Amino acid sequence: MQKLYIYNTLTREKTIFEPAHTPHVGMYVCGPTVYGDPHLGHARPAITFDLLFRYLNHIGYKVRYVRNITDVGHLENDADEGEDKIAKKARLDKLEPMEVVQYYTNRYHKAMDSLNVLPPSIEPRASGHIIEQIESIKQILDNGYAYESNGSVYFDVQKYNQDFDYGILSHRNIEEMLNTTRDLDGQNEKRSKVDFALWKKASPEHIMRWPSPWSDGFPGWHIECSTMSIKYLGQEFDIHGGGLDLMFPHHECEIAQNTAIEKHRVVKYWMHNNMLTVGGQKMGKSLGNFITLEEFFTGSHKLLTQAYTAMTIRFFILQAHYRSTVDFSNEALQASEKGLSRLLDAYAKIDKISPAASSSADIKGLRQKCYDAMNDDLNSAIVISHLFEAATTINSAADAKATLTQDDIDELKAVFDLFLFSILGIQDQTKGGNSGNYESFSKAIDLLLDIRAKAKANKDWATSDQIRDELAKAGFEIKDGKDGSEWKLK
Ligand code: ZN
């Protein structure tokens, strides 16, 4: 098995990945809060952890990948204040909250499919785990790290910090937090302003509510992830991922809750993808630089000079290491678009190279160089740079400026199939579908073009025209050249 090194945000070290129960791996990633169209901010964590999921599977692990849907309890303000984001959207659109949840969950899934993000093994919803969340809160109360106040339950951060270490992930200390946290409404219910809600009593107008031992109310945002990750992955599991913006307070609170429930560390490796900026600025609705994925796919946003395919977006994200920041601009996306078609064009040329008795290029080390990059904390950027070098070799060989043996040609094809298509998850969308489907699909079209060539040679113009016209109707563009016909999807 490959030796994979990953950067653990908790220890701030790159260490070898050793799951608790090899070959089984438990992996939990914070999913979307479903109250709006999926945007760029959703694409990066989804693609980052899709890369990890694909790679772990490839190197022989059996991964149980849990990615949740937050459909209750995520308030407008992370300090437990304001309206529930989903309830607010339901009120504005005059919909039942679960209609909002279903609608945006479907939109999210559709966007993830376009980006070729594989579905997780389990996708639990917070609203489907209210009973389990109440049980977690009871355990935290029983263990002495929470208190009830006026029908709500709060986590007692200072009590917890006496026994454990609050701030261990984000490297904050309580004194600093006490000095920097703002005073907010509802403060009088809390013993300390650093405490956070596990259960909130619902106000009369609050529509998303459930009965509990403390009040009719709803769970706090952080408790869903502790509860559902432990339920599906056990009291100790391997990887917890998410965007860097979730490190505090969300993941810090998760660690405190987990430890208050289990009295030991639950998550072995914490992994965080870095943020995306647009034109150097943080994405935000008020800044006018908030671009949904659909707007990218259709080009319908004032900041976009053209439409970009889902694969251009995916490739662009993978061209940066997941712990680096990424800045979106039209220029950068156009460069990715060009880079991706350079790789796909090179791949298409591999079969056309005539094998030679000896190679003028060294292909032997390519596969291992790609593995080494992936093993170094999933460095997809370096993998892509190796594929670019390989593309240069392919182009030279196709132009008869370099020679390759049949073994080297086969190896180049195998490395592209494995790293570009299977691990990086790129699809050639101009040719329809992923590379696996494409093989059979492409063979069928080539067969039709062979029949057409034979018909032409026999001066059977009726058959030749029929094949060309029917393929054109089905959306294919056929180009007749001196070496036969070429096709692509229009
Ligand atoms: Zn979460």
Side-chain angles (χ1 to χ4, degrees), residues 28 30 68 225 250-251 254:
Y28 186 91
C30 291
N68 68 308
C225 286
H250 186 55
H251 292 159
E254 262 192 75

Side-chain angles (χ1 to χ4, degrees), residues 315 342-343 346 366 370 382-392 394 412 415-416 419-421 424:
F315 189 67
R342 201 175 140 234
L343 290 184
L366 176 64
C370 292
I382 303 288
V383 174
I384 290 171
S385 72
H386 292 315
L387 294 177
F388 275 132
E389 282 167 32
T392 305
I394 293 166
L412 279 166
V415 168
F416 269 66
F419 284 94
L420 185 64
F421 298 116
L424 298 181

Side-chain angles (χ1 to χ4, degrees), residues 4-8 11 13-18 269:
L4 168 63
Y5 283 79
I6 55 173
Y7 182 84
N8 187 348
T11 58
E13 274 174 350
K14 211 188 274 181
T15 49
I16 190 158
F17 176 63
E18 283 171 331
Y269 303 93

Side-chain angles (χ1 to χ4, degrees), residues 32-135:
T33 304
V34 281
Y35 67 102
D37 254 349
H39 54 77
L40 266 186
H42 290 111
R44 195 165 191 200
I47 290 170
T48 298
F49 293 103
D50 185 53
L51 177 70
L52 177 60
F53 183 41
R54 284 168 183 268
Y55 192 60
L56 289 172
N57 277 316
H58 167 67
I59 62 179
Y61 291 111
K62 298 188 186 318
V63 188
R64 183 181 294 166
Y65 175 18
V66 182
R67 187 185 67 206
N68 68 308
I69 295 278
T70 295
D71 60 356
V72 64
H74 194 170
L75 306 185
E76 290 200 282
N77 179 321
D78 287 342
D80 316 326
E81 300 304 323
E83 202 173 348
D84 185 292
K85 288 178 175 175
I86 287 153
K88 183 180 177 187
K89 182 76 184 157
R91 177 172 62 76
L92 294 174
D93 293 356
K94 298 192 170 57
L95 292 169
E96 152 68 29
M98 285 300 129
E99 273 182 287
V100 172
V101 166
Q102 191 63 56
Y103 180 79
Y104 288 112
T105 302
N106 294 346
R107 305 273 290 173
Y108 179 76
H109 286 157
K110 202 171 151 228
M112 291 306 115
D113 280 349
S114 315
L115 292 167
N116 201 23
V117 167
L118 299 172
S121 330
I122 305 176
E123 192 174 47
R125 286 181 179 193
S127 67
H129 296 76
I130 301 292
I131 292 167
E132 290 89 338
Q133 293 182 74
I134 291 173
E135 284 307 310

Side-chain angles (χ1 to χ4, degrees), residues 435-448:
S435 62
N437 292 337
Y438 171 62
E439 287 258 7
S440 359
F441 173 80
S442 144
K443 273 185 193 150
I445 306 298
D446 287 344
L447 174 66
L448 279 170

Side-chain angles (χ1 to χ4, degrees), residues 443-456 467:
K443 273 185 193 150
I445 306 298
D446 287 344
L447 174 66
L448 279 170
L449 291 179
D450 273 354
I451 296 172
R452 178 164 169 260
K454 277 185 194 128
K456 266 171 132 179
I467 292 175

Side-chain angles (χ1 to χ4, degrees), residues 315-328:
F315 189 67
F316 177 78
I317 288 175
L318 291 171
Q319 272 187 294
H321 182 240
Y322 74 94
R323 287 194 290 118
S324 327
T325 53
V326 164
D327 188 51
F328 268 83

